[in-house]
Amino acid sequence: QITLKESGPTLVKPTQALNVTCTFSGFSLTTPGVGVGWIRQPPGKTLEWLALIYWNDDKRFSPSLKSRLTLTKDSSRNQVVLTMTNVDPGDTATYYCAHRNYLTTTFGVRLTQHVAFLVWGQGTMVTVSS
Amino acid sequence: DIQMTQSPSSLYASVGDRVTITCRASQTISTYLNWYQHRPGRAPRLLIFAASSLQAGVPSRFSGSGSGTEFTLTIDSLQAEDFATYYCQQSFSFPAFGGGTKVEIK
């Protein structure tokens, strides 16, 4: 069974850095095709994709946030850490991590380029306020 | 950037109804389109991937269709547990979500 859990501070001051950790089980971040993505949802708004790290340490970031984001993985501890620098109140949101893997259709076709988030954590709410 | 537009933003329906939600992409995305269900206080759940493939464990009353720029999610015979917000997400370029469609009880 795949599970993911986010952890981090509930309150961060403006201009500080935010570190959110995703601790997962049920899969290995060394298996080809596997990735861990980060998505956030500000209160009352839609989901926003932030970043994705793959088994081979390839990293992708939202173009609008790329300069502020860093991703690190510790495959031995089954953890991925998202760091966001210089936060402001607009970064207040629930932060989710999610599992990505290759997809296989009902016809048995393996899809290697599609990115879907198969299993999500419960999310952690982060408020940015002084 | 590819923009994803969902319609309607909300709808009211009754148990047993057939519900259709539309998602439009600002440019062609082939079938790089996924659908998620998000219930309050719960983790989002993948329902449909690659526009029309049902994720394992998802009831068959959920179905997806479309390609290019227009996609639909259909829920046949809406159940009580289906009242939630539904999001589309494209992965043709960097992942991006639609604005969501909230399905509420009539």
Side-chain angles (χ1 to χ4, degrees):
Chain A
Q1 180 191 7
I2 291 175
T3 65
L4 305 97
K5 186 172 184 178
E6 307 85 352
S7 58
T10 56
L11 181 64
V12 182
K13 292 186 186 322
T15 75
Q16 290 185 338
L18 166 66
N19 290 292
V20 194
T21 299
C22 179
T23 303
F24 57 85
S25 64
F27 66 92
S28 171
L29 202 38
T30 62
T31 302
V34 171
V36 172
W38 286 93
I39 304 100
R40 71 179 179 180
Q41 185 172 37
K45 296 188 177 181
T46 190
L47 300 164
E48 178 185 18
W49 173 74
L50 302 177
L52 176 58
I53 187 166
Y54 289 96
W55 80 100
N56 58 2
D57 211 37
D58 186 19
K59 300 167 190 174
R60 302 299 165 98
F61 297 97
S62 167
S64 63
L65 293 167
K66 185 174 184 177
S67 64
R68 299 172 52 208
L69 297 178
T70 304
L71 273 175
T72 58
K73 67 179 174 70
D74 185 335
S75 299
S76 62
R77 298 179 65 187
N78 285 352
Q79 290 185 329
V80 172
V81 178
L82 176 75
T83 299
M84 177 181 289
T85 58
N86 192 25
V87 298
D88 69 24
D91 297 312
T92 294
T94 297
Y95 286 75
Y96 297 95
C97 62
H99 168 68
R100 184 268 180 186
N101 202 348
Y102 290 146
L103 302 164
T104 302
T105 71
T106 50
F107 299 104
V109 177
R110 173 174 271 197
L111 306 174
T112 60
Q113 300 303 310
H114 290 243
V115 173
F117 300 108
L118 283 77
V119 183
W120 298 53
Q122 290 289 333
T124 185
M125 178 66 196
V126 178
T127 300
V128 180
S129 174
S130 54
Chain B
D1 297 4
I2 299 176
Q3 308 299 321
M4 306 303 294
T5 303
Q6 285 183 238
S7 60
S9 56
S10 66
L11 64 91
Y12 290 87
S14 301
V15 171
D17 284 353
R18 186 178 203 225
V19 169
T20 299
I21 298 169
T22 298
C23 179
R24 288 187 174 88
S26 59
Q27 63 188 75
T28 184
I29 59 170
S30 183
T31 58
Y32 286 74
L33 192 285
N34 309 312
W35 290 98
Y36 300 86
Q37 176 193 65
H38 193 190
R39 287 187 267 178
R42 303 186 70 163
R45 174 194 185 192
L46 177 66
L47 300 174
I48 302 285
F49 63 90
S52 60
S53 290
L54 192 68
Q55 172 65 354
V58 175
S60 59
R61 64 180 178 272
F62 292 92
S63 64
S65 64
S67 66
T69 61
E70 188 154 335
F71 304 85
T72 58
L73 172 70
T74 300
I75 312 172
D76 283 320
S77 189
L78 196 70
Q79 300 299 299
E81 61 267 29
D82 300 336
F83 291 97
T85 301
Y86 294 85
Y87 296 93
C88 61
Q89 174 241 320
Q90 64 84 11
S91 66
F92 187 81
S93 65
F94 65 85
F97 293 86
T101 296
K102 188 173 183 179
V103 177
E104 299 181 272
I105 301 173
K106 186 184 290 183

